[in-house]
Amino acid sequence: MFVRPIPDSEYSIRLWPGVTTSREYCLDFVHSATGEATNSPFEYELWTVPDPDALFSLPPMRLSSLENGFGVNTPDIRPGEEKFVLKEGLTCMLTRPGKRGLRFTVP
C-alpha cells in the first residue's frame, strides 16, 4: 500500500493492489492527519496522461470512480466508499483549482 500526501492539501492519495491478474490498483483519498478514507473533494479531478515513451498512448481522459461506473451519482456515494480502479503503469494527473497538477504513475 502506498500513501502520499497531496501538497497544500489536507488529503493524501492511497493506492493498493487490486486484482493482480488484471494488473489493477485501487486508489482513494484519505485525510492525511487521521488516515480515514474520504470521497474525492469535489474540486479534484483525476485524469490519464499520455506516456511520451509509449509507442501508442490514449489521449487525456477524465477518470470516474468505480461507483460512478456502476451508475451511482457522486453525492449518493457513502462517505469514504469512493474508489478508482487504475491499470498498472498508467500515468495520471490529479488537478485542483489554483494548484499545480500532481502527476504520478501507477506501479
Side-chain angles (χ1 to χ4, degrees):
M1 180 178 305
F2 305 92
V3 179
R4 299 291 184 265
I6 300 169
D8 302 318
S9 169
E10 63 186 273
Y11 303 104
S12 293
I13 292 173
R14 180 169 59 178
L15 189 66
W16 69 96
V19 180
T20 53
T21 56
S22 297
R23 299 174 42 205
E24 293 175 339
Y25 279 77
C26 296
L27 177 144
D28 69 357
F29 294 90
V30 295
H31 290 278
S32 296
T34 65
E36 183 180 344
T38 185
N39 293 349
S40 58
F42 73 92
E43 69 274 10
Y44 286 28
E45 293 181 356
L46 191 59
W47 290 79
T48 62
V49 177
D51 181 353
D53 297 326
L55 292 175
F56 174 77
S57 194
L58 296 174
M61 179 177 65
R62 184 174 179 196
L63 297 171
S64 296
S65 70
L66 182 63
E67 293 75 16
N68 290 150
F70 282 107
V72 179
N73 293 321
T74 300
D76 298 329
I77 300 171
R78 293 189 317 199
E81 293 293 318
E82 183 182 40
K83 66 198 89 30
F84 297 80
V85 177
L86 308 174
K87 284 289 193 182
E88 181 181 291
L90 181 68
T91 300
C92 299
M93 175 84 66
L94 178 68
T95 63
R96 307 174 282 158
K99 303 288 183 186
R100 185 174 178 188
L102 177 64
R103 183 177 168 162
F104 63 95
T105 300
V106 178

